[in-house]
């Protein structure tokens, strides 16, 4: 949050290695995806792609919805950062499809990716945004919920609607 990317990267790499050395596959998967997301945010898309590919190769439990959505979201973010909005939208849409019967964090993560894709493409209103805001207001998903409401504020600001651009 303070912009100390080298420190964040080093701490995340330590986490990856600790999970790897202990054989904690589900945690290693998540650590790799989180590090990949950091790399996307700082423009290191090749490194992010390599990390998420490694995470997916671990084959986390197919029963666990969140890891599958997390990997698709990171892959969509890589595509988005590279300017391939078609691939980003396909990834976000795929994440939405596999969470169609879910109302938990995996669904909210998929909605956030699709909402962000809409925003990046200049769509300043979105049905997925309304759903993400609804899920985001639930008390059991505060962190992802804050992100959902933040994306909602971006949408409102882009529509030049200050009454909707506040976070409740």
């Amino acid at each position: 949050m303070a912009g100390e990317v080298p420190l964040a990267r080093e701490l995340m790499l330590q986490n990856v290695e600790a999970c790897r050395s202990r054989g904690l596959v589900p945690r290693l998967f998540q650590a790799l995806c989180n590090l990949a997301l950091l790399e996307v945010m700082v423009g290191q898309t090749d490194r992010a792609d390599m990390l998420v590919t490694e995470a997916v190769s671990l084959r986390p439990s197919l029963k666990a919805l969140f890891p599958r959505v997390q990997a698709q979201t990171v892959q969509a973010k890589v595509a988005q950062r590279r300017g391939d909005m078609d691939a980003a939208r396909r990834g976000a849409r795929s994440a939405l499809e596999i969470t169609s019967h879910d109302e938990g964090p995996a669904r909210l993560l998929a909605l956030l990716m699709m909402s962000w894709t809409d925003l990046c493409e200049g769509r300043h209103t979105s049905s997925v945004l309304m759903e993400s805001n609804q899920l985001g207001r639930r008390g059991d998903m505060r962190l992802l919920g804050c992100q959902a409401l933040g994306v909602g504020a971006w949408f409102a600001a882009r529509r030049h609607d200050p009454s909707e651009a506040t976070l409740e």
Side-chain angles (χ1 to χ4, degrees):
M1 297 294 278
E4 297 179 35
V5 174
L7 176 60
R9 184 181 285 124
E10 179 58 33
L11 292 171
M12 293 173 104
L13 281 168
Q14 288 175 17
N15 186 39
V16 165
E17 292 312 313
C19 292
R20 191 185 317 277
S21 69
R22 292 184 179 109
L24 303 173
V25 174
R27 289 188 180 174
L28 176 57
F29 175 90
Q30 192 163 23
L32 287 165
C33 283
N34 288 337
L35 181 55
L37 190 55
L38 171 73
E39 298 298 355
V40 169
M41 290 189 287
V42 296
Q44 298 297 317
T45 56
D46 290 342
R47 176 116 171 94
D49 199 23
M50 181 188 72
L51 290 163
V52 77
T53 298
E54 181 183 350
V56 170
S57 76
L58 295 172
R59 303 193 191 289
S61 170
L62 294 178
K63 294 178 185 175
L65 192 55
F66 193 86
R68 290 170 52 204
V69 171
Q70 185 179 26
Q72 285 184 312
T73 298
V74 174
Q75 289 167 329
K77 286 267 188 210
V78 168
Q80 188 179 65
R81 182 69 182 225
R82 289 178 173 160
D84 188 349
M85 294 308 293
D86 290 336
R89 182 162 289 283
R90 280 192 308 274
R93 193 172 292 126
S94 178
L96 280 176
E97 287 170 8
I98 67 171
T99 62
S100 63
H101 300 293
D102 183 64
E103 290 187 2
R107 178 69 177 175
L108 185 51
L109 186 59
L111 289 164
L112 284 168
M113 185 62 221
M114 183 60 84
S115 294
W116 194 253
T117 302
D118 285 346
L119 185 63
C120 289
E121 291 184 327
R123 293 181 180 97
H124 302 144
T125 59
S126 172
S127 61
V128 294
L129 175 66
M130 290 188 296
E131 185 181 347
S132 70
N133 280 340
Q134 183 180 18
L135 281 177
R137 284 185 165 82
R138 285 189 10 201
D140 60 333
M141 291 193 278
R142 292 187 192 255
L143 180 59
L144 280 176
C146 288
Q147 290 177 348
L149 296 174
V151 171
W154 272 95
F155 269 79
R158 296 289 184 190
R159 283 193 311 264
H160 303 292
D161 187 347
S163 67
E164 292 183 37
T166 58
L167 301 178
E168 296 176 7

